[in-house]
Structures are given as structure tokens and as C-alpha cells.
Amino acid sequence: MSFALIRSRLPALRQVRWGSGLVLWCYVALHLGNHATGLVSLQVADALLDGISSGWHSVPGTVLLYGALLTHLALAGVALWQRRSLRMPWVEGVRLALGLCLPLLLAGHFVATRWAFESMGASLPYGRMVNGLARPENLAVQSLLLITAWWHGCLGLHMAMRGRPGWRRWQPVLLTGAVLLPVLAALGLLSMAREIAWEVSALPPPPSGRTAQAVAVSAGLEDALRWGWVAAVAALLALRWAWRTLRRCRGGGPITLHYPDRAVQVPRGFTVLEASRSHGIAHLALCGGRARCSTCRVRVDGPAAHVPEPGRDERITLARVQAPAGVRLACQLRPAGDVRVTPLFQPGQAALPGRLGQELQVAILFVDLRRWSGMAERQWPFDLAWMLDQYFARVGAAVQDSGGMANQFIGDSVMAIFGLETDLPTACRQAVQAAALIEQRMDAWSETFRTQFGQSLDFGMGLHAGRVALGQVGYADTTTFSAVGEVVNTASRLQDHSKVVGARLVLSQEAARLAGVADALGTPEEVQVRGRSQPLQVLHVKRPSQLWGPASGG
């Protein structure tokens, strides 16, 4: 097996960072939960501690925990080394500061618990642990450790997950839990301290091996760990500064990045995102520059020699969003020479907070009236306006009642988005339900319409699902929230195809499968959709209301 193949199968650095951080977050969460059980009794907390400790003190648990800790610290050092500029949003700065301070606070906890267990062969019972934590000299340090570890982990989780619909949907509950757990842990410790004060016998005797020499060794180890971490960070920063200085001296002068409205000069080796932040240029980056969200994407124009090839993390993200040639991630691209960059998403203009520039898996439904041009020729303009008003009201209400958002009304067409607050299968089911409701309500209106205007109503719909970019589109003050991407184009083409096949709904096989209706629609047809390089498997539905009626439970 070649080295390149082996390397391609290894997890990406961002996945390793995410995995190691998740292990450490679980470790902290379990311990906070353990402290919270002190609200029940000291004995319950002690029993739970024995179970948790037996897992972490086992060989697999030890390897997992300390491997995750060392890996996370090493990757933090790599990230700090790679930064050319320390300017960053305040949330990223707080998370970085908490992470750098955490080993200083963790040293005492490690020595008092794991080191004591390994050196004296006995775990520290909750009674003596609580008694030690209640001392004034320890209370401040342990409180800082609690706040630092927990909020560093929670900030990391939030920055990694905040672009996901499920995370946004459950965010109030998750935030409540994030605040409540450390509060309950603190109350549990106070409850156990009071229980110990009432019942002196609850406090176990100190370990027999706890001599003055052991105390001195523990104190020395604690100081060594703290000063060692300080020295390691200081050495890393000093080497970073020396290396950057040497590279500037040998690598020539600065490079110029041409933005749409200005040109800036930055040292060679800066990422485009670092260049934007260094010069106060607003640049969206929801994941904090981790190559996860792709919201920092830029279109790059310049000589090929000035644009290095993307690394593995960047390639994975660009492939996921099907980015065209010439589009790169600003957080990963380090131009080797002068280039022109155009950010593809602009922050600060969203009418719907938190959705600008995000990418989501959604379902797109297009609805179009048939024979509208003929009606427009025969009817008065005010009649046409009334028709459209009635049509838009019925379609918009059906979409809203199904959980979607009808966001564009253009001519006699409506575009609806499903999945802004749900997962993709739910979004597809909602879109199929909306198609059924639209047919029911349009058919109910059709008889009245025929009586008034002497002709019947008909319409067609197209449905497709996948990843889109969401944001404000338009010019100046005339903008609208919309979805952009291949999925939107394909849904529109499928609506056009419904005219050819004489069906009221044409949907992609994937959307039908996710909605759970593919098996009921027979054999799919392969269609070459304009704008797609590959044919698409589609299904025709003459009567969408039969897919989601009373018999189907819709």
C-alpha cells in the first residue's frame, strides 16, 4: 500500500482535534455530573466516583484520556505556530486564552488525584476531596479550573456545531444545560461539605503513605508541571517569532492582496483570513478558521505560482460544497504572491440573524402556474393581480402549514425552502406534504376560478434536495433571503420537466427516498437536467395529494 493511500485514509487534523476535544469534554462533564450527585448524598457521589474512576484508571481509559490530552495540547501548539497574526474575534480569543490557562490549573488537580492514586495505590474518597476543596486556598483555584475547562469545551463545541440545524434548534436547551451543570456541581460540593461538617465520621482517615516527603514531592511535581507548561508556551512563541523573522528576511518583501474595494499588504505566509482581520476587513468565518464551515470562501484570481495547492482539510471541505475552480478557503490559503481575492459571503447584512452565509441540507420546491401567458393576454391587469394574490396566498399557506418558508414570488412562480430548522429527511417529507396541500387547495379553488374566468387552473412542481448556501441576495437595500446552489437550479428544471411528462410533481429519486415515498412511485426515469453534468434519476407524480392524504397519515 502506497504512502499516499495510507495518508488519505488517516483522519484529518481537524477530525483528530475534534475527537480529542470531545473525549476531554466528556471527562469534564462526567466529573461535574458526579459532583452534582452530592445533592443526593455523599455516599451516592462516592459510589458513582468509583464507577467513573475504574473506567478512566483502566489501561484503555488511561490511554484514551491522556492520549486525548496530549494530542489536544500538541494540536493547540500547532495551531498557535501556524498563526501569522494573533488578531481574531473575541470569542476565539477567549477560547484560546482559556485553553492556554487550563494546564496551569489542571496541574494541581492531576497531582492530588491521579498522581496520588498511582504513587500510593489508593483513590481519594469524596469526603477528603471535598474537605480539601472547601479550604479557602484551594477554592479559588478549583473554581477557576471548573470555569476554564467547562467553558473552553463548550465554546469549542458551539463553534464546531453552530452551523447545524439540530444544534440551532436545541441551542436554548443546550445553553440551559451548559449553565445548569456547573451550578449543580457547585451546589453538590457544598452539600457534601455540610454533610461532612455534620458527621465527622464521614471523613475518611488520610492515607497511611501520606508522609511529609510525599507532600513535598507532590508540591514539587505540581510546580514543575506549571512552570514546564509556561516554559513550553514561551519557547513556542519565541521560536515562532524567530522563525517568522527569518522567513521574512529570506523570503522577500510583503505581498499585496487586492480586495474588491481596497488593496492591502501583508507579510508572506499570512492566510487570506488573517490578512482580512489584520486590516479590519469584515470576513465571515463561522467555524473560526478550522476549514469546517466554508463560509470564508473567496474567489482567487492570480498566477498559478502564487496560489499553493489546497491541503487535505481544505480539499475535503471544498469537495463537500462542490466549490468550482478558483474558489478557496480564506482560512487555509496562504498566497505566495500578489493575488486578487473576492469574499463570496459578506457578514452583517442578514435579515435573519445567524443564517447569512451558512450552508445547509434543505429541500427546494418550485411551483409554477400553467397557461399564465394566455390569461395575461385576455384578462385585465387588476384581475391578474387578484389571481396572483389568491394563488400566492394558497401556496404560501400550504408551505407554511407544512413547516417550510415560501421565500420567493417571481411572476407566476413560487420557490419554497424546507429544512431551515430540521434535518433533511424531515425537510423532504414536509416538501411532499406541501405539494399535496397545494394540490388540494388549488383544486378546491379551481371550480370558482373556472366560473369567474372561463378556464381551469393547472400548475406544476419540481422538488430536489441537497446542500445550498443561504444568505441575502440582491443589490443595495433591495435584498431577499434566498438559497443558492445546484439544488435550486435542479428543482426549477424539474418543475419545467413536469410540463413535458404531464405530471403535477416531478421530484428527484433522492428526495423521494428521504421523504419515504420512493417505493410508491414506481421505476425512476433518467433525465439530463440542464446545468448538471450527470443525468438525474427522477419520479413523476400525477396526483401529489394521494401521497399525503388521510390514508397516509399526513
Side-chain angles (χ1 to χ4, degrees):
M1 185 178 294
S2 66
F3 176 75
L5 181 60
I6 294 175
R7 184 179 178 183
S8 67
R9 293 183 176 179
L10 292 175
L13 279 182
R14 65 182 181 183
Q15 294 171 323
V16 175
R17 182 185 294 112
W18 165 258
S20 61
L22 192 59
V23 170
L24 296 176
W25 183 87
C26 290
Y27 177 82
V28 176
L30 283 173
H31 275 66
L32 290 178
N34 198 171
H35 292 342
T37 58
L39 289 170
V40 181
S41 72
L42 178 63
Q43 287 72 26
V44 171
D46 241 334
L48 185 59
L49 177 65
D50 288 340
I52 293 175
S53 297
S54 63
W56 292 119
H57 288 174
S58 67
V59 174
T62 299
V63 172
L64 180 64
L65 176 61
Y66 288 96
L69 177 62
L70 294 176
T71 299
H72 210 64
L73 292 177
L75 290 178
V78 170
L80 188 60
W81 175 270
Q82 290 177 339
R83 281 187 176 272
R84 265 59 173 182
S85 170
L86 295 180
R87 293 191 62 172
M88 65 192 79
W90 70 270
V91 174
E92 293 181 37
V94 168
R95 185 168 62 91
L96 179 62
L98 290 175
L100 292 177
C101 292
L102 186 56
L104 299 177
L105 301 168
L106 193 60
H109 185 75
F110 168 79
V111 171
T113 56
R114 189 56 183 265
W115 173 259
F117 172 80
E118 297 294 344
S119 60
M120 289 180 284
S123 60
L124 190 62
Y126 241 122
R128 187 160 300 282
M129 183 188 302
V130 172
N131 191 57
L133 291 177
R135 295 175 184 174
E137 64 270 20
N138 293 334
L139 190 60
V141 174
Q142 293 303 321
S143 298
L144 280 174
L145 175 60
L146 170 76
I147 295 170
T148 301
W150 182 241
W151 289 113
H152 173 75
C154 288
L155 280 174
L157 272 177
H158 175 66
M159 294 186 69
M161 302 291 290
R162 60 182 172 178
R164 299 175 181 268
W167 183 267
R168 293 202 313 272
R169 186 169 64 252
W170 290 98
Q171 190 167 329
V173 177
L174 295 171
L175 179 59
T176 302
V179 173
L180 195 58
L181 183 57
V183 171
L184 292 177
L187 293 175
L189 288 173
L190 289 176
S191 176
M192 288 186 286
R194 293 178 63 184
E195 185 176 345
I196 292 170
W198 291 336
E199 189 176 340
V200 179
S201 61
L203 186 63
S208 57
R210 189 72 170 173
T211 62
Q213 183 180 2
V215 172
V217 170
S218 298
L221 178 60
E222 185 176 332
D223 290 340
L225 289 174
R226 286 176 175 161
W227 284 109
W229 175 249
V230 171
V233 174
L236 179 65
L237 292 174
L239 286 172
R240 176 182 175 275
W241 175 83
W243 179 251
R244 301 288 181 269
T245 304
L246 181 62
R247 289 196 64 176
R248 282 197 297 268
C249 294
R250 291 184 175 181
I255 63 173
T256 301
L257 301 185
H258 298 272
Y259 289 81
D261 57 347
R262 60 189 290 195
V264 300
Q265 286 193 332
V266 294
R268 200 175 300 269
F270 266 47
T271 66
V272 174
L273 183 60
E274 288 172 334
S276 297
R277 290 174 172 176
S278 296
H279 290 273
I281 299 173
H283 204 137
L284 195 66
L286 293 180
C287 73
R290 303 285 187 173
R292 289 195 188 105
C293 67
S294 83
T295 54
C296 67
R297 271 180 287 174
V298 293
R299 186 171 59 251
V300 184
D301 299 304
H306 293 178
V307 185
E309 290 295 317
R312 185 183 177 195
D313 286 349
E314 186 179 4
R315 287 198 307 272
I316 292 173
T317 300
L318 292 175
R320 175 175 57 83
V321 301
Q322 299 180 1
V327 171
R328 297 290 298 272
L329 299 185
C331 66
Q332 303 297 307
L333 174 61
R334 302 180 188 274
D338 299 351
V339 294
R340 183 175 299 278
V341 295
T342 305
L344 299 184
F345 299 106
Q346 295 296 327
Q349 298 176 351
L352 300 177
R355 289 180 181 167
L356 177 64
Q358 288 196 6
E359 292 183 355
L360 288 180
Q361 298 271 6
V362 301
I364 301 292
L365 179 69
F366 267 92
V367 189
D368 183 72
L369 270 180
R370 298 289 183 252
R371 298 185 291 274
W372 175 253
S373 298
M375 284 189 287
E377 184 180 359
R378 293 188 298 272
Q379 303 297 331
W380 292 101
F382 281 110
D383 288 338
L384 296 174
W386 180 85
M387 290 178 200
L388 284 179
D389 185 65
Q390 295 296 309
Y391 161 61
F392 289 154
R394 284 165 171 77
V395 172
V399 169
Q400 184 175 8
D401 291 347
S402 301
M405 182 180 75
N407 73 305
Q408 286 192 24
F409 301 85
I410 305 171
D412 60 338
S413 297
V414 180
M415 170 181 157
I417 306 174
F418 300 84
L420 295 175
E421 303 294 341
T422 64
D423 58 21
L424 190 57
T426 302
C428 292
R429 289 193 293 272
Q430 291 175 341
V432 171
Q433 179 183 3
L437 287 177
I438 290 169
E439 181 179 59
Q440 292 170 3
R441 295 175 185 185
M442 291 291 286
D443 284 348
W445 181 41
S446 182
E447 186 60 33
T448 303
F449 186 89
R450 185 184 300 108
T451 301
Q452 289 180 295
F453 298 102
Q455 64 182 83
S456 60
L457 274 174
D458 204 5
F459 56 94
M461 295 177 283
L463 171 61
H464 190 38
R467 187 171 294 277
V468 300
L470 297 169
Q472 295 293 122
V473 296
Y475 176 71
D477 295 331
T478 309
T479 62
T480 183
F481 178 75
S482 188
V484 180
E486 173 272 331
V487 173
V488 178
N489 176 72
T490 299
S492 176
R493 303 301 182 206
L494 293 182
Q495 177 274 126
D496 290 338
H497 188 65
S498 68
K499 303 174 187 177
V500 178
V501 298
R504 282 187 166 176
L505 173 63
V506 175
L507 69 165
S508 64
Q509 184 183 25
E510 179 63 11
R513 183 189 66 80
L514 291 170
V517 298
D519 293 340
L521 298 180
T523 305
E525 173 195 2
E526 188 174 86
V527 175
Q528 185 63 58
V529 178
R530 184 156 53 95
R532 286 180 58 96
S533 58
Q534 299 295 326
L536 183 68
Q537 298 289 324
V538 303
L539 294 159
H540 311 151
V541 186
K542 291 188 178 296
R543 300 286 297 175
S545 57
Q546 295 177 356
L547 288 177
W548 210 278
S552 65

